[in-house]
């Protein structure tokens, strides 16, 4: 399965590949060897780009076990920092870039802010382009912030204000790299550590401190 909204990117990459392949074949038949050589190399590069696009925009189905007793990771990647009840997850190119809800609730607010494109693993990335979801859960508000990185130029939201979402539901994606931060309510204990790899919708990042009914 491919991520929502990826069709134009994949179509463009495939079209460029096809055009260079046709040009390469046409130049070979006309004995323009130098042009044919360049067109052939360009076709291979475009083919590699198409493969990269398919790899990047993949969105595998994942069976999510919904529970009020824990929170799950909103993103694939590596935890680069844990501070002030906030877990910061850096997404590398090879990671799936579709983000999911860490907890069930209702989207109370979505705030988009323009900004720069510093490396997303830097603390200065607080000045980067970002999109923040405020999910109102039974344990209080949970913030999920998508932060653009050096190459990323588009944060895509799949959800709207007042949408009711289930834990593990897709809420958006960031194209080409970056990071996702999630705040953990005080009723939960953080169970992951810095440097740990996580999967969106699968890895438990925090568990409820006790089983009292809210």
């Amino acid at each position: 399965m491919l991520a929502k909204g990826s069709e134009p990117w994949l179509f463009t990459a495939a079209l460029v590949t096809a055009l260079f392949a046709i040009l390469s074949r046409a130049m070979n038949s006309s004995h323009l060897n130098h042009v044919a050589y360049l067109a052939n190399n360009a076709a291979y590069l475009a083919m590699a780009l198409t493969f990269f696009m398919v790899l990047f925009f993949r969105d595998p189905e994942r069976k999510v076990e919904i529970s009020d007793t824990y929170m799950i990771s909103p993103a694939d990647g590596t935890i680069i920092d844990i501070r002030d009840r906030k877990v910061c997850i850096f997404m590398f190119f090879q990671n799936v870039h579709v983000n999911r809800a860490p907890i069930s609730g209702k989207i109370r607010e979505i705030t988009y802010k323009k900004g720069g494109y510093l490396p997303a693993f830097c603390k200065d990335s607080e000045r980067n382009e970002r999109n923040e979801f405020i999910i109102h859960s039974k344990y209080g508000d949970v913030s999920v912030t998508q932060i653009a990185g050096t190459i990323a130029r588009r944060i895509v939201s799949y959800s709207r204000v007042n949408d009711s979402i289930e834990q593990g539901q897709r809420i958006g994606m960031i194209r080409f790299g970056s990071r996702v931060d999630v705040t953990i309510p005080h009723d939960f204990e953080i169970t992951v550590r810095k440097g740990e790899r996580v999967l969106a919708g699968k890895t438990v990042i925090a568990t409820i401190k006790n089983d009292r009914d809210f």
Side-chain angles (χ1 to χ4, degrees), residues 72-110:
I72 54 178
S73 176
D76 285 21
T78 301
I79 295 174
I80 57 171
D81 200 5
I82 299 174
R83 64 179 187 277
D84 300 327
R85 308 291 301 174
K86 180 188 295 184
V87 176
C88 307
I89 304 166
F90 184 78
M91 298 185 293
F92 292 92
F93 281 115
Q94 70 270 23
N95 295 128
V96 173
H97 280 65
V98 174
N99 306 137
R100 296 173 180 262
I103 196 169
S104 297
K106 186 175 183 178
I107 297 180
R108 186 172 63 82
E109 183 180 344
I110 300 177

Side-chain angles (χ1 to χ4, degrees), residues 10-22 39 42-43 45-47 49-50:
L10 296 172
F11 175 78
T12 300
L15 179 63
V16 171
T17 301
L19 289 175
F20 276 120
I22 293 170
L45 287 174
M47 189 181 301
L49 176 62
T50 302

Side-chain angles (χ1 to χ4, degrees), residues 2-3 5-17 49-58:
L2 295 173
S6 62
E7 295 83 0
W9 295 78
L10 296 172
F11 175 78
T12 300
L15 179 63
V16 171
T17 301
L49 176 62
T50 302
F51 175 77
F52 168 77
M53 289 290 185
V54 172
L55 181 66
F56 178 81
F57 284 110
R58 72 192 188 282

Side-chain angles (χ1 to χ4, degrees), residues 15 40 57 60 78 145 150 154 206 211:
L15 179 63
N40 189 56
F57 284 110
T78 301
T145 306
T150 307
R154 182 73 189 276
D211 295 327

